[in-house]
């Protein structure tokens, strides 16, 4: 049995190890049956129709709601630290990776067991989940509306019958405004993508109407910390390196969704955009994710450009780590390449890592998470089959592909393919001690 | 196309106001001098909320089919559309944010709705005295060539025209293709449309010409502008990208700088000026005490001062004196809070004003307290990110 020590990120003030028992009448004002009666939150129901607006506009209603409620919790001291007091900088280089020195993010070192080799795992009510957060950590309910207009209700009861979705704070924020979108929180869905939930996330990105507000998703095995379906989001008013990477179109689906692969980026990724509607785009990506989940391939998702661009990044870092194949220097930084890191935003725990942060280091770290070229092609084939479109790789003459890679080859140890489906359950149980 | 009628329409007044703001920076006849240039170009002002166009050349109006009134006051994004490449939009946005030049091919739309490709070349124009970006100049060169970088159809186009030349038995130097009749749908679906070398040179020439006129007329006015930043931005002057971000916030607020003597105002929103009745130049560089008067409670002022020293947020109700026509006083529910920049240290204080009479809650709106805090949040995001600009 392979074990790795890992330190969890605490996202709620009530996150404990699961050995704490569920006492009756917990007195924590959580979302469990013990406390939920009488719970009230503002409700924001967004427009049903697709938005076709252009670019940044005056601060939108949803943005005011998120920022206003977040600032309220900020001033009430609900966060574990003041993230704005953490020094941050753009690393000089072509891509502009963003580094932050945050020594306080990973303080709790109690080990918890969390399987890293299975993307699909059942919800376990005994472990920490979002029904156990205190209600003060919730900001508002968020729904995909039925009407053509935004509807806002400042004080709406939380009704289990309606299967409410909520937005909560992340008490260990990466940046100001870091929130969690928890679809149908009371339904206790495990961390896996389904069509309805991804569409809700896209709606939120579109409603925020700010290209600097992105949503991210980590599957199990790709550094999700809690097995209860959630997306993350925050504001960073500059482009992520991932968003700047050039791309090459591969196919356009029947519903008009354009799928491209990223060029010269340390993590091999797909970019989905277009589609005749937001639903088309969302469904195509969901189909791809379901395919990855069923094949036990961990992945991350970044929703960018107000929901117009969705990046899909399959990865294999955790498996590499369990097999002892990650280089020691990279391991020492204790940086787990989750969606924000892969997008180019690195939170560093040690001052020396921050001072010495360079584009080469960032590249080298992220490259460890990437699938090899061969494996990426295999995975793409699976995805295209699942989506129902065919892709023949063209050998275009004179197609110049930029290989501007400062660290040399992307995957030095690339003889072996990583991240394949683990078919033999008994031989390869990978446990990661948290 | 000049506005000479004394029409009382609000639209015309707003246009005149913005054009007036533009002309004020330069000596007389600047607009006439710019009007004489043959190029298509626009000039935008990042210090006006919404980063609007404040000047549009006759060439631009002809190319897009709009009238001057329809263009002045709009943001450049108004000419983009659903098929405009998202990456190009991002490149322009980032060049503005980083205050640097950019040259990119992009699909725009005319007033009629028809799309066209053009080479967009934009440069920042800096004030010589304070090092800040005064304007952005954007030149538009229509691309008539049919060279495409990738995507299908490229080879077909080339072969098509070659075949025609062969059939005619003549050789035509094919630097750019003959005008091809392709419908607008095709135009919109192109991934990219590369400008020819001569088109790129045209854009550089045009930018140079516009900059020359601006430089000359700014010199006459004694407030030189130039294409390169000649000095570091002075401390009490915010970057244009920060100002653009702050311009999105529609409520009344100010930023003050606690590191400068007497903690002066370094930014005031339009709504603040409307609320207090002051002009921007009367407010910038001043300490906020100009809003206090005889009946303002000094213990409240003391409480504010204590919070500022301790670096803590606070909300107070304070009597303020406006400079509006009636010189009325108003009760200001004022919230102040320190704001840190990317270094992690406090760079500014934000003060968000709310007239006490506005406290009535409208059922379908955010609570006033939430709205007030949302201003603080938006300022925090803007300030923290603005210092992370790469050079």
């Amino acid at each position: 049995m392979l074990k790795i020590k890992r330190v969890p990120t605490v996202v709620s003030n009530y996150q404990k190890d699961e050995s704490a028992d569920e006492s009756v009448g917990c007195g924590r004002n959580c979302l469990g049956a013990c406390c939920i009666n009488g719970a009230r939150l503002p409700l924001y129901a967004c427009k049903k129709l697709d938005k076709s607006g252009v670019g940044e506009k005056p601060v939108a209603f949803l943005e005011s709601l998120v920022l206003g409620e977040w600032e309220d919790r900020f001033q009430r001291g609900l966060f574990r630290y003041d993230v704005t007091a953490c020094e941050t900088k753009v690393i000089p280089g072509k891509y502009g990776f963003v580094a932050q020195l945050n020594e306080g993010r990973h303080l709790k070192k109690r080990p918890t067991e969390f399987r890293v080799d299975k993307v699909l795992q059942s919800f376990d009510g005994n472990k920490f989940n979002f029904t156990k957060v205190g209600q003060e950590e919730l900001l508002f309910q968020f729904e995909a509306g039925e009407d053509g207009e935004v509807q806002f209700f400042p004080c709406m009861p939380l009704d289990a019958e309606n299967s409410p979705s909520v937005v909560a704070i992340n008490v260990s924020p990466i940046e100001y405004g870091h929130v969690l979108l928890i679809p149908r929180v009371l339904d206790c869905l495990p961390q896996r993508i389904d069509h309805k939930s991804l569409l809700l996330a896209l709606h939120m990105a579109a409603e925020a109407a700010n290209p600097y507000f992105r949503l991210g998703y980590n599957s199990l095995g790709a550094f999700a910390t809690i097995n209860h379906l959630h997306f993350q989001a925050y504001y960073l008013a500059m482009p992520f390196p991932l968003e700047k990477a050039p791309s090459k179109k591969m196919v356009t689906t029947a519903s008009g969704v354009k799928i491209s692969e990223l060029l010269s980026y340390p993590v091999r990724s797909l970019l989905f955009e277009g589609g005749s509607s937001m639903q088309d785009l969302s469904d195509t990506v969901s189909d791809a994710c379901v395919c990855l989940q069923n094949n036990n391939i961990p992945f991350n998702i970044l929703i960018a450009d107000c929901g117009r661009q969705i990046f899909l990044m399959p990865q294999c870092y955790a498996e590499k780590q369990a097999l002892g194949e990650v280089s020691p220097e990279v391991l020492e930084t204790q940086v787990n390449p989750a969606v924000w890191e892969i997008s180019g935003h690195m939170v560093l725990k040690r001052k020396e890592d921050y001072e010495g942060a360079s584009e080469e280091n960032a590249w080298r770290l992220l490259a460890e998470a990437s699938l090899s070229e061969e494996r990426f092609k295999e995975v793409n084939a699976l995805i295209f089959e699942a989506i129902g479109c065919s892709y023949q790789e063209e050998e275009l003459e004179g197609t110049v592909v930029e290989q501007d890679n400062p660290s040399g080859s992307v995957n030095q140890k690339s003889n072996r393919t990583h991240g394949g489906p683990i078919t033999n359950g008994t031989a390869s149980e990978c446990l990661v001690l948290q | 196309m000049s506005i000479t009628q004394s029409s009382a329409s609000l639209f015309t007044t707003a246009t005149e106001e913005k054009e007036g703001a533009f002309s004020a920076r330069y000596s007389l006849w600047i607009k006439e001098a710019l009007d004489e240039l043959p190029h298509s170009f626009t000039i935008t002002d990042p210090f006006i909320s919404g980063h609007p166009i404040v000047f549009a050349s006759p060439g631009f109006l002809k190319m897009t089919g709009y009238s001057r009134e329809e263009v002045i006051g709009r943001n450049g994004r108004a000419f983009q559309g659903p098929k405009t490449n998202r990456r190009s939009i991002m490149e322009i946005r980032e060049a503005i944010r980083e205050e640097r030049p950019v040259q990119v091919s992009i699909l725009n739309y005319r007033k009629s709705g028809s799309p066209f490709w053009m080479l967009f070349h934009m440069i920042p124009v800096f004030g010589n005295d304070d090092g800040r970006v005064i304007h952005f100049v954007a030149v538009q060169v229509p691309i008539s060539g049919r060279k495409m970088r990738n995507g299908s159809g490229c080879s077909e186009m080339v072969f098509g025209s070659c075949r025609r030349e062969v059939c005619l038995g003549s050789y035509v130097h094919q630097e750019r293709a003959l005008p091809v009749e392709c419908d607008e749908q095709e135009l919109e679906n192109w991934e990219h449309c590369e400008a020819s070398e001569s088109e790129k040179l045209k854009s550089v020439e045009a930018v140079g010409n516009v900059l020359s006129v601006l430089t000359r007329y700014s010199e006459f006015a004694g407030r030189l502008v130039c294409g390169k930043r000649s000095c570091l931005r002075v401390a009490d002057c915010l970057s244009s990208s920060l100002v653009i971000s702050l311009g999105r916030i529609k409520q009344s607020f100010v930023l003050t700088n606690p590191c400068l003597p007497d903690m002066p105002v370094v930014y005031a929103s339009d709504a603040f000026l409307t609320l207090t009745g002051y002009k921007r130049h009367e407010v910038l560089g001043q300490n906020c005490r100009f809003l206090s008067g005889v009946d303002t409670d000094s213990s409240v002022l003391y409480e504010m001062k204590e919070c500022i020293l301790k670096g803590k947020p606070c909300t107070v109700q304070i009597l303020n004196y406006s400079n509006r026509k009636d010189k009325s006083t108003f009760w200001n529910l004022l919230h102040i809070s320190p704001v840190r920049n990317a270094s992690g240290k406090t760079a500014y204080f934000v003060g968000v004003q709310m007239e006490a009479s506005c406290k009535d809650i409208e059922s379908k709106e955010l609570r006033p307290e939430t709205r007030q805090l949302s201003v603080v949040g938006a300022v925090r995001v803007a300030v923290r990110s603005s210092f992370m600009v790469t050079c």
Side-chain angles (χ1 to χ4, degrees):
Chain A
M1 199 186 277
L2 297 165
K3 294 180 184 175
I4 307 166
K5 257 209 179 70
R6 225 165 14 109
V7 180
T9 302
V10 175
V11 302
S12 165
N13 286 315
Y14 296 108
Q15 191 172 349
K16 296 178 181 168
D17 59 348
E18 73 280 11
S19 57
D21 62 321
E22 287 248 22
S23 41
V24 179
C26 69
R28 267 200 274 104
N29 200 30
C30 67
L31 285 180
C34 41
C35 306
I36 193 169
N37 279 338
R40 279 172 148 65
L41 276 182
L43 166 65
Y44 182 101
C46 51
K47 290 204 263 284
K48 193 175 178 23
L49 308 169
D50 276 1
K51 270 187 140 163
S52 56
V54 277
E56 320 146 46
K57 296 175 279 199
V59 175
F61 190 83
L62 182 63
E63 186 168 329
S64 295
L65 180 60
V66 170
L67 291 174
E69 294 291 342
W70 213 92
E71 176 68 19
D72 172 74
R73 306 305 189 274
F74 187 64
Q75 292 195 13
R76 278 161 59 181
L78 289 182
F79 296 94
R80 291 177 57 229
Y81 50 81
D82 177 357
V83 66
T84 65
C86 297
E87 198 186 327
T88 179
K89 65 183 179 185
V90 175
I91 299 172
K94 196 172 123 183
Y95 273 103
F97 288 92
V98 180
Q100 183 190 112
L101 176 58
N102 189 332
E103 288 146 319
R105 192 154 195 259
H106 299 260
L107 283 181
K108 289 214 182 113
K109 287 187 159 95
R110 241 172 287 143
T112 317
E113 289 183 359
F114 188 93
R115 287 193 70 150
V116 76
D117 61 340
K118 278 181 72 178
V119 174
L120 293 174
Q121 298 178 38
S122 314
F123 182 86
D124 181 350
N126 292 324
K127 295 213 171 105
F128 178 78
N129 62 76
F130 294 111
T131 63
K132 303 189 182 186
V133 309
Q135 286 171 27
E136 67 279 4
E137 291 182 23
L138 306 180
L139 302 185
F140 56 92
Q141 303 176 58
F142 183 77
E143 303 296 342
E146 296 300 307
D147 277 319
E149 286 296 313
V150 168
Q151 294 205 298
F152 179 70
F153 307 92
C155 195
M156 183 66 106
L158 212 57
D159 185 1
E161 308 255 311
N162 291 334
S163 205
S165 304
V166 296
V167 174
I169 54 172
N170 182 337
V171 305
S172 303
I174 291 183
E175 261 309 327
Y176 186 86
H178 194 169
V179 294
L180 309 168
L181 170 65
I182 306 157
R184 295 170 276 154
V185 57
L186 301 176
D187 293 0
C188 294
L189 306 169
Q191 182 76 341
R192 73 177 69 149
I193 293 288
D194 67 83
H195 291 68
K196 207 166 150 186
S197 303
L198 185 63
L199 184 58
L200 187 69
L202 277 198
H203 271 294
M204 187 166 193
E207 282 296 306
N210 185 339
Y212 297 130
F213 181 76
R214 298 87 162 175
L215 280 95
Y217 174 88
N218 300 317
S219 77
L220 299 181
F223 304 103
T225 45
I226 295 166
N227 187 14
H228 184 175
L229 181 59
H230 65 285
F231 295 82
Q232 304 179 40
Y234 62 85
Y235 293 91
L236 186 70
M238 61 182 50
F240 281 142
L242 185 68
E243 293 167 328
K244 296 208 277 200
S247 61
K248 186 177 109 178
K249 179 171 123 175
M250 295 170 90
V251 287
T252 305
T253 71
S255 53
V257 174
K258 181 171 97 173
I259 307 176
S260 313
E261 66 175 318
L262 292 195
L263 305 172
S264 60
Y265 197 74
V267 180
R268 293 181 173 85
S269 318
L270 293 177
L271 166 59
F272 294 72
E273 48 191 339
S276 27
S277 68
M278 192 190 288
Q279 175 114 34
D280 284 331
L281 178 60
S282 175
D283 284 347
T284 307
V285 178
S286 296
D287 289 340
C289 293
V290 167
C291 167
L292 293 179
Q293 283 163 178
N294 291 339
N295 283 280
N296 205 32
I297 299 167
F299 61 92
N300 310 91
I301 301 174
L302 181 75
I303 299 173
D305 197 13
C306 307
R308 289 188 190 90
Q309 296 192 323
I310 306 181
F311 295 84
L312 178 59
M313 302 87 90
Q315 66 150 289
C316 61
Y317 187 89
E319 188 196 337
K320 265 192 183 164
Q321 191 179 12
L323 296 171
E325 288 179 3
V326 177
S327 85
E329 300 88 42
V330 167
L331 278 180
E332 260 177 40
T333 63
Q334 287 195 293
V335 172
N336 290 329
V339 62
W340 307 117
E341 288 76 11
I342 294 179
S343 300
H345 191 183
M346 314 285 202
V347 175
L348 302 166
K349 305 175 187 57
R350 302 185 304 181
K351 199 165 171 67
E352 69 234 49
D353 294 327
Y354 180 78
E355 304 281 304
S358 67
E359 186 153 295
E360 288 88 71
N361 290 348
W363 196 285
R364 205 173 303 131
L365 187 150
L366 294 182
E368 297 274 22
S370 179
L371 300 188
S372 67
E373 195 171 332
E374 198 187 313
R375 181 61 184 147
F376 186 60
K377 284 200 182 109
E378 284 172 22
V379 168
N380 287 344
L382 289 173
I383 289 175
F384 288 125
E385 194 188 330
I387 294 174
C389 61
S390 60
Y391 168 63
Q392 296 298 327
E393 200 181 338
E394 299 157 30
E395 293 296 327
L396 288 174
E397 294 181 355
T399 304
V400 177
V401 175
E402 278 188 344
Q403 284 300 333
D404 190 60
N405 181 340
S407 71
S409 68
V410 172
N411 217 335
Q412 279 96 341
K413 304 172 190 153
S414 59
N415 288 335
R416 179 185 187 141
T417 57
H418 285 286
I422 293 170
T423 49
N424 189 342
T426 52
S428 52
E429 287 215 346
C430 297
L431 284 180
V432 175
L433 286 183
Q434 277 187 288
Chain B
M1 268 276 185
S2 61
I3 302 152
T4 47
Q5 314 92 301
S6 53
S7 156
S9 83
L10 202 58
F11 195 28
T12 312
T13 314
T15 309
E16 282 174 341
E17 222 179 284
K18 294 207 160 61
E19 287 186 315
F22 169 72
S23 308
R25 174 79 204 194
Y26 304 94
S27 67
L28 213 51
W29 308 120
I30 175 71
K31 294 219 300 289
E32 284 71 9
L34 290 172
D35 273 340
E36 280 180 20
L37 295 173
H39 319 289
S40 162
F41 64 94
T42 50
I43 302 179
T44 59
D45 187 339
F47 280 78
I48 299 179
S49 172
H51 191 190
I53 294 171
V54 292
F55 182 88
S57 73
F60 178 84
L61 301 176
K62 183 162 166 222
M63 184 181 72
T64 57
Y66 287 99
S67 70
R68 201 188 292 258
E69 291 91 336
E70 290 171 318
V71 167
I72 304 292
R74 312 278 304 273
N75 181 283
R77 285 185 311 271
F79 307 95
Q80 297 163 5
K83 295 286 192 169
T84 304
N85 184 283
R86 304 302 303 169
R87 188 59 53 85
S88 307
I89 294 174
M90 183 188 80
E91 283 182 46
I92 296 172
R93 183 173 65 227
E94 289 314 306
I96 293 171
R97 197 180 59 84
E98 294 180 11
E99 298 180 335
R100 57 170 168 77
V102 67
Q103 192 191 52
V104 65
S105 302
I106 191 167
L107 185 76
N108 264 197
Y109 292 78
R110 298 186 188 89
K111 181 173 174 178
S112 62
S114 69
F116 66 100
W117 281 91
M118 53 103 158
L119 181 65
F120 180 87
H121 186 156
M122 184 193 75
I123 60 157
V125 175
F126 299 93
N128 219 26
D129 47 357
D130 55 9
R132 64 181 177 128
V133 175
I134 305 295
H135 294 117
F136 285 92
V137 170
V139 156
Q140 302 83 17
V141 175
I143 302 175
S144 57
R146 294 292 177 255
K147 282 190 264 193
M148 292 179 285
R149 197 159 65 190
N150 53 11
S152 57
C154 179
S155 40
E156 287 158 13
M157 288 294 199
V158 170
F159 289 152
S161 48
C162 282
R163 261 203 291 278
R164 211 170 330 152
E165 300 332 301
V166 166
C167 287
L168 289 173
S170 60
Y171 170 76
V172 176
H173 177 58
Q174 217 46 245
E175 204 265 323
R176 76 176 71 163
L178 300 165
V180 175
E181 279 97 53
C182 60
D183 58 62
E184 290 173 357
Q185 242 257 310
E186 265 183 57
L187 218 65
E188 280 184 299
N189 287 334
W190 290 354
E191 299 276 312
H192 177 74
C193 189
E194 185 76 12
S196 68
E197 282 313 306
S198 73
E199 281 156 350
K200 288 182 184 168
L201 285 174
K202 265 197 198 153
S203 79
V204 171
E205 186 196 332
V207 159
N209 288 348
V210 176
L211 189 57
S212 291
V213 172
L214 292 180
T215 309
R216 205 177 328 132
Y217 281 75
S218 69
E219 204 171 5
F220 295 154
R223 299 165 71 199
L224 187 62
V225 303
C226 53
K228 283 194 163 46
R229 201 195 303 268
S230 58
C231 65
L232 288 176
R233 219 182 300 114
V234 300
D236 59 349
C237 199
L238 311 186
S239 74
S240 65
S241 72
L242 177 56
V243 169
I244 290 174
S245 304
L246 296 175
R248 295 177 60 236
I249 306 170
K250 294 305 165 193
Q251 285 83 20
S252 166
F253 73 98
V254 294
L255 283 196
T256 60
N257 190 335
C259 306
L260 292 176
D262 206 24
M263 201 157 146
V265 172
V266 293
Y267 180 89
S269 72
D270 290 345
F272 175 84
L273 302 178
T274 308
L275 173 69
T276 60
Y278 285 96
K279 296 263 179 334
R280 186 161 272 117
H281 67 88
E282 294 173 319
V283 162
L284 290 180
Q286 304 299 321
N287 179 286
C288 279
R289 69 174 69 86
F290 66 84
L291 285 173
S292 301
V294 169
D295 288 333
T296 302
D297 189 342
S298 52
S299 65
V300 169
L301 290 173
Y302 180 76
E303 188 188 333
M304 277 167 57
K305 206 165 163 188
E306 283 293 297
C307 283
I308 290 170
L309 285 173
K310 288 190 192 139
K312 286 198 171 333
C314 71
T315 309
V316 298
Q317 188 143 306
I318 184 172
L319 187 69
N320 276 165
Y321 290 69
S322 77
N323 196 36
R324 298 187 284 235
K325 278 217 168 74
D326 56 4
K327 300 285 188 202
S328 53
T329 58
F330 62 95
W331 281 102
N332 178 3
L333 193 67
L334 174 68
H335 179 88
I336 59 175
S337 188
V339 176
R340 300 174 189 273
N341 63 18
S343 70
K345 303 191 175 53
T346 299
Y348 305 107
F349 270 78
V350 62
V352 188
Q353 299 78 24
M354 192 158 67
E355 227 179 333
S357 59
C358 295
K359 259 192 74 104
D360 311 319
I361 299 168
E362 277 183 51
S363 59
K364 296 290 177 154
E365 302 264 319
L366 285 183
R367 288 183 314 136
E369 292 81 10
T370 310
R371 202 168 337 125
Q372 200 172 35
L373 291 179
S374 76
V375 174
V376 178
V379 169
R380 289 200 200 282
V381 173
V383 169
R384 183 156 163 89
S385 309
S386 77
F387 278 72
M388 293 199 277
V389 171
T390 46
C391 300

